[in-house]
Each structure stands twice: as structure tokens, then as C-alpha cells.
Amino acid sequence: MPQRKRDTRARLEVILLAGPALLVFLAFVIFPVLMAAYYGFFSWQGYGPPTDFVGLKNYLTILQDPLFHDALAHNGFILVFSLVLQGPIAIVLALLLNRKMRGQSLIRVLIFVPYVISEVVVGTGWSLMLQTNGAINAMLTNMGLGFLATDWLSDPGIAIWTLMAIITWKYIGFAVILFLAGLQGIPEELHEAAAIDGASYWQIQWRITLPLLAPTLRIWAFLSIIGSLQLFDLVYIIWGQYIASTAGTSTMATYMVSEGRNAGNYGYGNAVAVVLFLISLVVALIYQRAVLRKDTDGALTGASGRARRSRSRASHDAAPNDAGADTVADADADATTQKKYVR
């Protein structure tokens, strides 16, 4: 078959297979974003055609509103501490559950159960238990720890940490299962060889397991970052539209609903949605460029992959001889280090 016909056939296959998914993506993602951007230029009450054009006023108001600044700061706080708290805890749990033990399957299920429970059920249950006269304070009082009882939901100094505890409990199971899946792909022979060479258990995990688990860690971190920026349901269910801002737990999504739909200003709400989308998009692109690129470069195929590999080889060949010697020396050093643990 001529090359041109093969290329045409390959393009048709791509169109037929990817076409329906692309249409759905355009209809339910791109088109709503464009419509939200359009409505964001109007002072619109949510019904009838928008006629009160205000230009960039809605967007300028967003950037100048202290409540939005607070919500953005809360999202940043949640993003950072989701990575700091969930990551190490999930790694330790995954390493422990990856070892053979009695009741291993049951423990895995129990850790994963909170993740599959509906956010409505989780939010309602925790809001009832964390009230001043709820089960948590009652339990602390019965245990003789009544001095620890406090207003977990309304105190601005505690509420954000209460939210972080609930988020960690809710989503830690997803991270554990994801890391366990990544651990299954690490050859056991590497651990056995390192153990024979005298490496301790934690040395093996630090020098072999974690480096090989790095791609899975990066994917989980990306999902956690995007989820933290778009957090809405737990905050809205537990704290509601009015208490969230005073308790210090509001997010950009709750701000969008309270200042947009609930205030009857749908144009402003659409503008907030566009700002939230742009912030998430920029963060995702930066993360992909700075972090995930090292995972995708090796997977590139076709003309783009060949071109990038050719540029890499060309830059390597054009380097001075001294740099080449340094590279060879570094490679020899790495090989020597690897032989310490892998035979």
C-alpha cells in the first residue's frame, strides 16, 4: 500500500475513534467555558438574554475583592498542606500494606472506604460530630480531655485545620491505592539484591522504592493540586455559604456560588468561574512543563518524539569534549553507585 494511502487511512482511524470524544469535550467543556466568559462581561440575573454590558468590571471587582483574596489564600493553604500531609502518610501506609501481613486486604478496603463515600454523607456526618455539643467534644469530655473540646467549625484559628483533617481522612485512601499500584510495578529482585548487600529496610525504600515510585507520586500530586484548587462540596456542606467566609474556610468555588448564584448576579458568578478556570489551567500547564515533562518525554512517539530526540542528540554531540568527559565520568559514578544495590 502506498505511503500516502496509509497516512490517509491512519488519519481516518484517528478521526473515527477520537471524534465522538472530541465532540463531547467541546460540547461539555469548551463551549460552557466560552459561554461563561461571554456572560462574565454582563450584569446578568440568570434569565433572558444578557443586555447590561459592563465590560471588564466583573473581573476587576474579583481582583479587588478581599473576600476573593481570602478564598484564594485558603485554596493555596489547602493545596500545600494536602501535599505535605497526605503524601508522606500515604507513602508510609502503602509501604506497610505492600508487605505480607494478616488482614491485609481488609485494611486496604477500610482505608479506601472513605474515598468512595459521597461527599454529602461525609460532610453531613462530620458537621454533626464536630458541633460544640457533638460526638467529638462529648467523647473528649468522657475521656477526661474536656479541656481539648472546642468549637471545631466556627473558630477561624481551628476551622481550616479541621477542614484539612477531614480532607486527609477522605482522600488518603485514593493516594494509598495509587501508590500500591505503583509499588506492584517495582521488581522485587532489586529489593532482594539490596538486602543481600546489607541495605536496611528503610535504605531500600529511600534509595530504590521512592525513586522508582516518583512517576506515580508526580501524577498523584497533579491530581491533588487540581482538586485542591476546585474544592467546593465539603466546604459548602459543612460550613454553608455564609459561615465559610467568617470561619476562614471559604474557597474560590464557594465564593463563586455565594457571590454569583446566591446573590442573583449570574454574570459575576460566570466571571469568577472563568478566573477559577484560568488559575487551574495556568497551574496545570506550569506543573506539566516543569514536572510531568520528564515522564512524557520518554513516551513520545512519531515525528514529534523523533524530532525532540534528534535535537537532544545534536546538542549532546555539539558539546565540548571536556563536557563529554564529565558526562562519562558522571555515568561511571552512577553505575558504581547502582552496583552497590543492584547486580
Side-chain angles (χ1 to χ4, degrees), residues 96-157:
L96 293 177
L97 291 176
N98 196 46
R99 307 177 68 179
K100 293 182 179 179
M101 64 176 66
R102 181 174 298 179
Q104 182 185 61
S105 299
L106 178 61
I107 297 174
R108 290 182 180 182
V109 171
L110 293 177
I111 291 177
F112 191 68
V113 162
Y115 178 72
V116 299
I117 299 177
S118 170
E119 278 77 4
V120 176
V121 176
V122 171
T124 304
W126 279 106
S127 64
L128 293 175
M129 290 190 295
L130 291 171
Q131 293 178 1
T132 53
N133 57 347
I136 299 297
N137 285 339
M139 180 184 67
L140 293 174
T141 302
N142 293 333
M143 295 174 58
L145 301 174
F147 62 93
L148 295 177
T150 185
D151 191 351
W152 302 100
L153 300 179
S154 300
D155 188 346

Side-chain angles (χ1 to χ4, degrees), residues 213-284:
L213 193 62
T216 305
L217 288 170
R218 288 190 284 267
I219 292 297
W220 165 80
F222 176 76
L223 297 176
S224 180
I225 289 171
I226 298 302
S228 299
L229 291 174
Q230 300 177 351
L231 180 64
F232 168 76
D233 37 25
L234 286 177
V235 177
Y236 196 79
I237 294 168
I238 297 175
W239 280 272
Q241 56 178 312
Y242 303 111
I243 302 177
S245 58
T246 58
T249 58
S250 61
T251 63
M252 290 185 288
T254 60
Y255 173 87
M256 174 187 66
V257 173
S258 62
E259 300 296 325
R261 189 196 68 179
N262 295 341
N265 191 350
Y266 286 80
Y268 187 79
N270 278 278
V272 177
V274 173
V275 173
L276 174 57
F277 169 78
L278 291 177
I279 292 175
S280 302
L281 178 63
V282 170
V283 172

